[in-house]
Amino acid sequence: MRIADAQWIPSTQHQTWDALMDPAVLQKCLPGCVKIEKRSPTEYALSLHANVGGVEASYEGEVLLSELKPPHSCALAFEGKSPTACLAIGTAQINLSEKDDGTRLAYTVAAMAGGSLGKVGEPILMKAGGKLVEKFFAAFIDHMSKVPRTAPPPPVQEPERGLASSRWSWLAVAAVVVMIVGYHALFK
């Protein structure tokens, strides 16, 4: 199953990014979500209850983030297991960009299901996945429309590199120049 689309979020890019990384916001917006816990900056654990194609089940899962480029993009891998419905796994790519005084959130999701969940067939899984995504974005957009806008944080200053960053390096250059000039003046 593959889903690719984009949504316009009525919020700034950095606020949209922060909300996507906030377990409380995700728990509020993700349909059937019972709990989301942030285990590390790149790992989340979640519990959710879903009915897909007549297969109702509770899932325990993990989401692992990678290729983090805040507030622009990230990749993620997810896995959900259920004793009754078996397994759902997948990956997603998320890209954020400024658009029309808000944020364009583009995403591509690829997922597979096994066990009784996999037996319902791809058309039913696509329809259920589409509804899940639609409900998530409706709740997320509603949430973000109520959050007051804030200015983006100042950019992180990169430390200067090269000769300009150290007075000792200029002193070394000056010493070499003095030695060369002194050598030519005294010995030539």
Side-chain angles (χ1 to χ4, degrees):
M1 172 176 83
R2 183 177 166 89
I3 300 173
D5 203 356
Q7 297 286 330
W8 182 80
I9 311 298
S11 185
T12 63
Q13 187 173 338
H14 75 278
Q15 286 177 289
T16 301
W17 175 271
D18 290 346
L20 289 171
M21 299 298 139
D22 185 341
V25 172
L26 295 174
Q27 185 171 337
K28 175 183 171 184
C29 298
L30 189 61
C33 186
V34 176
K35 178 180 93 173
I36 294 183
E37 174 189 345
K38 188 173 186 175
R39 292 183 176 165
S40 76
T42 59
E43 182 181 4
Y44 294 78
L46 64 110
S47 300
L48 61 92
H49 190 80
N51 186 342
V52 177
V55 178
E56 188 169 336
S58 293
Y59 294 88
E60 297 293 322
E62 290 184 323
V63 176
L64 300 173
L65 302 174
S66 63
E67 302 174 31
L68 291 167
K69 296 176 187 152
H72 304 287
S73 64
C74 71
L76 59 93
F78 58 89
E79 173 185 83
K81 295 178 184 176
S82 168
T84 57
C86 287
L87 178 69
I89 60 172
T91 61
Q93 179 67 44
I94 298 170
N95 295 295
L96 303 175
S97 57
E98 293 179 11
K99 181 175 182 177
D100 299 334
D101 199 31
T103 302
R104 180 180 189 269
L105 191 158
Y107 59 92
T108 302
V109 179
M112 294 175 24
S116 57
L117 184 61
K119 292 177 185 175
V120 301
E122 188 168 338
I124 292 173
L125 288 175
M126 286 290 292
K127 185 176 179 182
K131 283 184 181 180
L132 181 73
V133 168
E134 188 178 293
K135 287 179 181 179
F136 169 79
F137 277 113
F140 188 73
I141 290 168
D142 182 58
H143 170 80
M144 295 307 292
S145 68
K146 296 174 184 173
V147 174
R149 289 178 180 246
T150 60
V156 176
Q157 294 290 330
E158 291 290 325
E160 290 186 34
R161 304 207 188 287
L163 293 176
S165 65
S166 169
R167 78 179 113 148
W168 295 111
S169 58
W170 283 108
L171 184 60
V173 169
V176 169
V177 169
V178 167
M179 287 178 13
I180 292 171
V181 168
Y183 174 78
H184 283 288
L186 296 174
F187 296 107
K188 294 278 179 170

